[in-house]
Each structure stands twice: as C-alpha cells, then as structure tokens.
Amino acid sequence: VLEDRLNEEGIQIEYGCEFIDGHNEHEHVNVTLRNPNGSISHESFGFVIGADGYSSKVRECFGFTFDGFQMETRLAITDAELVSESTSREVGYYLHRKGNMVLAPIGDGLFRVGASVPADYQGEINRDFFEKILADRVPGNKSLGHMNFCGIFNAHVRSASSYQNENVFLVGDAAHAMSPSGAQGMNSGFQDAVNLGWKLAGVIRCE
C-alpha cells in the first residue's frame, strides 16, 4: 500500500542500493552508494534519514553513539501454524511464573510464537521446546503444526545519543532498541517516520 502510494507520486524505491559513506556539507548531505549492479555513485541530498535498522551504517558513519544494555532474558521465536486455530486480529499474551509467551497472528494461518527462555535451559530451540512451553504457559490444549523456522536472541535496550546531526536523522531501530514485547519497536518506528515526515514536509514547503 505504501509503495503504491509512492509510485503514484512518481517516487520509485531503489531496492538493493547500499549506503557506504557520507558527510554533512552546509545544507546538503553527500553520500556514497553502492548500486544493485555493484557500481559506486556519489549523490547529494537535502536530508538523509537513517532507517537502516539496529546495525545502522548511517548511525555509525555520522558519529551517533548507541548506548544501552543487553537484556538478560533470552527470547525464542518461531513462525508456525497452531493446530485447529485460525488467524485473526487478536494477539494473546500469557504471563506465567515460569516466563511469558505471545501468540500473534501474522496471516495465512501462521502465528508468531514467542517465549522467554528459562535461565537454566541449555537445550535446543526446536519443536519440543515450544510444545512444552505451550503446555506450561498457555491455557487449553494447543499444539504446533508446520513450523517455518526457530530462533533465539537477546533483546537490547539502547538509544542513539541524538536523533539528528545537522541534516541527518535517525528513525526506528537505527535510533532506539527495546524489548519486542508489545511490538513497541515496530510501532514506535512508524511513529518516528510519520512524525519526522510531516515536519520535513513543512520545512521543504517553507510552511
């Protein structure tokens, strides 16, 4: 939907274009880009917005620090079917003395299944792990169907030293990182973009 709207305005997204380097110069930002065909180009823009995620090259290049800490709790995730469950708009959060769990519908019959990993757990993150956690923490008799993948990670709580350096701005995970609980990261990232977008539009229009 968003890309269709951009296309209607004559704006095309250049997929596969990589930010390499850049610097502020007066009222413009000069950047070096690697194009999808591997060639290098040098461009100049009125503004640059770093929306390039947790490992942001824009943040690093323009001298923002990213202080914070790694959370002690490990989190496990999988995208999977739940037997006899259909996806809807409802997200289930389950808080248990042994930890928490979330079942979030993502469409096409799949759920994002997330759970905190017990501190003393040293086994594999696989079907058996998720089935046991489901049985322990979620009411009813739920079981997993097809699983697309399994993963484990440590969440971080961090924030850039500033969200602006002259004409360079940071938004989303490039600007801040937090626990994924409640989808705060994605939602705050959208809010960053909307908030910055209308303000820059006012500057460009001299409003």
Side-chain angles (χ1 to χ4, degrees):
V1 174
L2 294 176
E3 186 170 355
D4 289 343
R5 178 60 176 158
L6 287 173
N7 293 343
E8 290 174 6
E9 297 295 324
I11 302 170
Q12 303 295 320
I13 296 177
E14 298 184 31
Y15 290 103
C17 188
E18 180 185 1
F19 172 85
I20 301 298
D21 196 8
H23 63 276
N24 279 300
E25 186 169 335
H26 304 300
E27 296 183 356
H28 291 83
V29 186
N30 297 325
V31 300
T32 301
L33 304 174
R34 178 178 289 114
N35 300 305
N37 63 5
S39 64
I40 300 296
S41 63
H42 304 279
E43 308 287 347
S44 182
F45 300 100
F47 302 97
V48 166
I49 301 172
D52 49 340
Y54 181 82
S55 301
S56 172
K57 286 187 177 180
V58 173
R59 185 184 65 231
E60 178 182 359
C61 174
F62 288 92
F64 299 91
T65 60
F66 201 45
D67 296 329
F69 61 92
Q70 177 178 290
M71 297 178 65
E72 293 183 7
T73 303
R74 296 174 297 161
L75 302 172
I77 59 171
T78 181
D79 287 351
E81 296 173 340
L82 289 177
V83 176
S84 300
E85 296 277 345
S86 59
T87 53
S88 66
R89 294 180 180 272
E90 296 181 356
V91 178
Y93 286 96
Y94 304 92
L95 304 179
H96 189 274
R97 65 179 181 275
K98 294 182 179 179
N100 59 50
M101 190 158 203
V102 59
L103 305 177
I106 57 177
D108 298 326
L110 291 176
F111 290 78
R112 170 63 53 86
V113 181
S116 57
V117 179
D120 59 352
Y121 183 77
Q122 300 297 325
E124 294 184 14
I125 303 300
N126 53 22
R127 177 180 294 275
D128 290 341
F129 169 83
F130 281 103
E131 293 282 14
K132 184 177 188 311
I133 294 292
L134 272 172
D136 287 345
R137 302 180 186 177
V138 179
N141 187 25
K142 300 185 186 299
S143 61
L144 297 178
H146 174 74
M147 297 173 62
N148 282 351
F149 75 97
C150 291
I152 185 171
F153 65 96
N154 283 92
H156 290 253
V157 177
R158 299 184 183 278
S159 180
S161 50
S162 170
Y163 295 168
Q164 178 185 4
N165 179 349
E166 297 186 38
N167 283 16
V168 178
F169 298 85
L170 300 178
V171 299
D173 287 352
H176 43 70
M178 61 197 74
S179 167
S181 297
Q184 297 177 85
M186 178 177 291
N187 283 306
S188 61
F190 283 133
Q191 292 171 42
D192 289 347
V194 171
N195 185 37
L196 178 60
W198 74 262
K199 290 175 178 175
L200 286 183
V203 171
I204 293 169
R205 295 169 181 165
C206 298
E207 296 178 348

